Amino acid sequence: MKLTTAQLLLAGAGLSGLTAALPHRDSPQQRFLNGLALPDKYAGRHRPYTPGHRDKLDRYIDPEQDDLDPLPWRNGRGASVLGPYNRDRSRQSPDLVRPPSTDHGNVANMRWSFADSHTRIEEGGWTRQTTVRELPTSVELAGVNMRLDSGVIRELHWHKEAEWAYVLEGSVRVTALDYEGGNFIDDLNKGDLWYFPSGVPHSLQGLGENGTEFLLIFDDGSFSEESTFILTDWLAHTPKSVIAENFHLAPEVFHHLPKSEKYIFQGSQPGSVDEERPRGRNVKKSKYQFTHKMLDQPPKKTSGGEVRVTDSTNFPISKTVAAAHAVIEPGALREMHWHPVADEWSYFIRGKARVTIFAAEGNARTFNYVAGDVGIVPKNMGHFVENIGDEPLEMLEVFRADQFRDFSLFQWMGETPQRMVLDHLFADDKEGGEKFWEAVRDPSKDEITDPEKSLSHEEDNDEEL
């Protein structure tokens, strides 16, 4: 078949566009040779993600902000990508495509996004979960992200596992019955918590114009939302004669009971807590406080942000889950530390983070996180959280424990004899040792630290490398 001139021009334009879209197939420097502008901060330095780039400090490079495609080149080693290339995924996790030179070994995956979880859509709401099935390293805790529109009910139910929750947006009403038969009702807003021990029956309902969205944490990584004990599901699988006898009513009263679980459904709009509180002669109010206003706690101010800790010391009912809410300012660092008694289950609310996990035996791996991601750090593994974005990083650190515990590397160094520390780290550098000791000798804990911004004295030296 003979093509017209116009058809040939269109075909040529299509092929030209394809070549431009895949610069890494032929040359990782193609996008720069095509005359695309680079940020001023790269002026005079080798371009990132190219064979000539050098960085002995393993600094983070933001591919989305700088319009770069991460490629596996590092300090002269590596090669271009010839096969399929997921550009969006690579830009979101550049430290997986081009790991820092300090990464090594076979550390398991410690990152999952709720965006990759199956979403169960119901009447006026939805739910999705991150458990050991989605993230095999999530062995101690499981998480559920749930949305209830205005008036929508997560029906009366209970679990084998304890349930801890953080309100992400909106308002929600919770009801519960404690072990002694006392009833509990409360309305919660953004930044508030609730905790229901194993077996405690409860319900949730969205309030206000837009309802609510929240994060649920269960103290078993193998938890499944599908294993919940639900009121309507139970009654649908119990003979009507037994139900009638149990409530001392005629069987026909229960003719229109739901045939299966309702799970999440549109309910009627509730009145105030006082209006809805049960009034029967034998009804009593619970003596337990199942809710807590986490963001109303005065924060601990640090040099690089702020932190709030909620555990059994200030929320006594929460015996199996402890948590910290951290805000890390741009350029700041959740200092190098480890947790001795429980795995860390992190949830990133906003911002962008980089985390390197040290797993002993020379093993380490770096992960990048954005809002909606879950991160795992197994107990006793050293790590940090670096804010790599241009806005505050907000996150939750959650633990299957009654109290929050961590060890600070900075504090450990300052509270160890000077001779011992310097023999370890600065045996061949007396001047460096003196500077280090001066920095750590008064080791007040600074969970979120603001390091020096200037690293001008650490500029790359290609000849030296």
Side-chain angles (χ1 to χ4, degrees):
M1 181 180 69
K2 187 175 182 179
L3 297 176
T4 66
T5 301
Q7 288 173 322
L8 289 170
L9 287 172
L10 286 173
L15 290 173
S16 175
L18 179 61
T19 302
L22 298 172
H24 50 281
R25 286 185 174 275
D26 298 321
S27 168
Q29 300 187 63
Q30 184 68 42
R31 64 185 296 106
F32 308 109
L33 296 177
N34 285 343
L36 297 182
L38 282 168
D40 290 341
K41 65 182 178 180
Y42 297 130
R45 298 176 57 193
H46 286 296
R47 297 168 177 121
Y49 305 122
T50 66
H53 186 250
R54 299 290 189 276
D55 181 10
K56 61 184 179 182
L57 297 182
D58 289 311
R59 285 165 290 206
Y60 177 75
I61 297 168
D62 190 335
E64 293 178 314
Q65 180 178 341
D66 298 337
D67 193 26
L68 302 171
D69 289 335
L71 293 170
W73 292 104
R74 188 183 63 220
N75 293 334
R77 295 185 175 185
S80 61
V81 176
L82 298 179
Y85 184 80
N86 189 324
R87 186 170 182 261
D88 292 335
R89 278 291 199 208
S90 297
R91 285 188 166 197
Q92 197 174 82
S93 295
D95 284 306
L96 291 181
V97 179
R98 198 277 308 272
S101 61
T102 49
D103 279 14
H104 180 264
N106 295 313
V107 177
N109 180 45
M110 304 287 181
R111 177 187 178 275
W112 181 264
S113 174
F114 268 110
D116 293 328
S117 296
H118 167 71
T119 301
R120 175 175 174 175
I121 299 176
E122 296 289 333
E123 182 186 10
W126 50 259
T127 183
R128 52 190 180 179
Q129 58 187 350
T130 298
T131 72
V132 72
R133 291 171 292 280
E134 288 79 20
L135 182 58
T137 49
S138 183
V139 296
E140 293 194 346
L141 296 172
V144 174
N145 181 204
M146 188 174 290
R147 171 82 166 93
L148 303 176
D149 210 344
S150 181
V152 172
I153 297 172
R154 172 65 169 96
E155 76 159 291
L156 291 157
H157 65 283
W158 72 96
H159 312 278
K160 294 182 294 182
E161 302 82 2
E163 174 182 301
W164 181 97
Y166 179 90
V167 181
L168 296 168
E169 293 290 344
S171 301
V172 60
R173 173 162 299 172
V174 300
T175 73
L177 184 71
D178 67 28
Y179 293 143
E180 285 80 41
N183 78 80
F184 180 88
I185 308 177
D186 199 8
D187 290 346
L188 304 179
N189 300 302
K190 182 177 180 177
D192 294 344
L193 311 177
W194 70 78
Y195 179 90
F196 298 127
S198 171
V200 168
H202 56 281
S203 71
L204 315 168
Q205 184 171 20
L207 301 177
E209 182 180 354
N210 293 314
T212 184
E213 184 176 340
F214 44 83
L215 175 72
L216 300 167
I217 299 292
F218 297 90
D219 58 1
D220 185 347
S222 298
F223 168 83
S224 171
E225 262 292 286
E226 311 306 319
S227 66
T228 301
F229 296 96
I230 297 177
L231 173 64
T232 53
D233 189 31
W234 187 15
L235 296 183
H237 293 87
T238 302
K240 292 287 195 307
S241 59
V242 173
I243 298 174
E245 291 177 7
N246 187 80
F247 291 101
H248 315 296
L249 291 168
E252 53 267 25
V253 172
F254 302 97
H255 178 69
H256 292 291
L257 285 180
K259 300 291 191 294
S260 61
E261 68 177 24
K262 300 186 77 170
Y263 190 71
I264 292 175
F265 65 97
Q266 182 66 57
S268 56
Q269 290 293 332
S272 69
V273 169
D274 288 339
E275 290 171 341
E276 300 232 322
R277 196 177 299 282
R279 306 291 183 186
R281 286 185 305 169
N282 295 320
V283 169
K284 60 182 179 180
K285 188 176 179 180
S286 176
K287 63 183 180 181
Y288 298 99
Q289 184 62 37
F290 291 102
T291 58
H292 178 80
K293 295 186 178 298
M294 188 182 205
L295 293 192
D296 284 356
Q297 292 178 215
K300 177 179 180 181
K301 297 290 187 178
T302 67
S303 65
E306 60 183 38
V307 63
R308 294 171 173 88
V309 172
T310 302
D311 57 20
S312 61
T313 61
N314 55 2
F315 187 24
I317 194 73
S318 188
K319 300 295 186 185
T320 64
V321 178
H325 176 275
V327 177
I328 306 171
E329 295 299 328
L333 186 77
R334 171 71 170 96
E335 66 170 348
M336 298 174 71
H337 66 285
W338 70 95
H339 303 281
V341 298
D343 295 355
E344 177 180 330
W345 197 101
S346 300
Y347 181 73
F348 295 86
I349 299 173
R350 62 177 169 136
K352 299 171 66 174
R354 177 165 79 155
V355 178
T356 294
I357 300 170
F358 168 61
E361 298 182 326
N363 294 318
R365 189 176 179 189
T366 301
F367 299 89
N368 305 122
Y369 300 92
V370 297
D373 285 353
V374 173
I376 304 294
V377 181
K379 66 172 71 74
N380 288 305
M381 290 192 182
H383 59 289
F384 61 83
V385 182
E386 181 183 10
N387 184 343
I388 55 175
D390 55 7
E391 65 173 328
L393 170 66
E394 182 180 0
M395 63 178 293
L396 291 169
E397 301 177 15
V398 190
F399 307 87
R400 192 175 70 184
D402 64 334
Q403 291 188 36
F404 176 91
R405 298 275 190 240
D406 71 349
F407 280 108
S408 159
L409 175 60
F410 191 102
Q411 188 177 34
W412 182 31
M413 294 295 93
E415 298 199 22
T416 299
Q418 178 182 4
R419 176 196 54 80
M420 180 69 70
V421 172
L422 299 186
D423 279 356
H424 273 73
L425 304 179
F426 295 95
D428 299 321
D429 185 1
K430 182 179 179 180
E431 182 180 354
E434 291 174 351
K435 292 179 179 178
F436 181 83
W437 186 254
E438 187 62 29
V440 303
R441 64 184 304 169
D442 296 314
S444 59
K445 203 168 185 180
D446 191 26
E447 289 88 347
I448 302 171
T449 190
D450 185 3
E452 290 184 4
K453 299 295 192 299
S454 174
L455 294 175
S456 58
H457 59 287
E458 297 287 354
E459 291 296 328
D460 296 340
N461 186 325
D462 294 339
E463 294 180 0
E464 181 179 306
L465 294 178

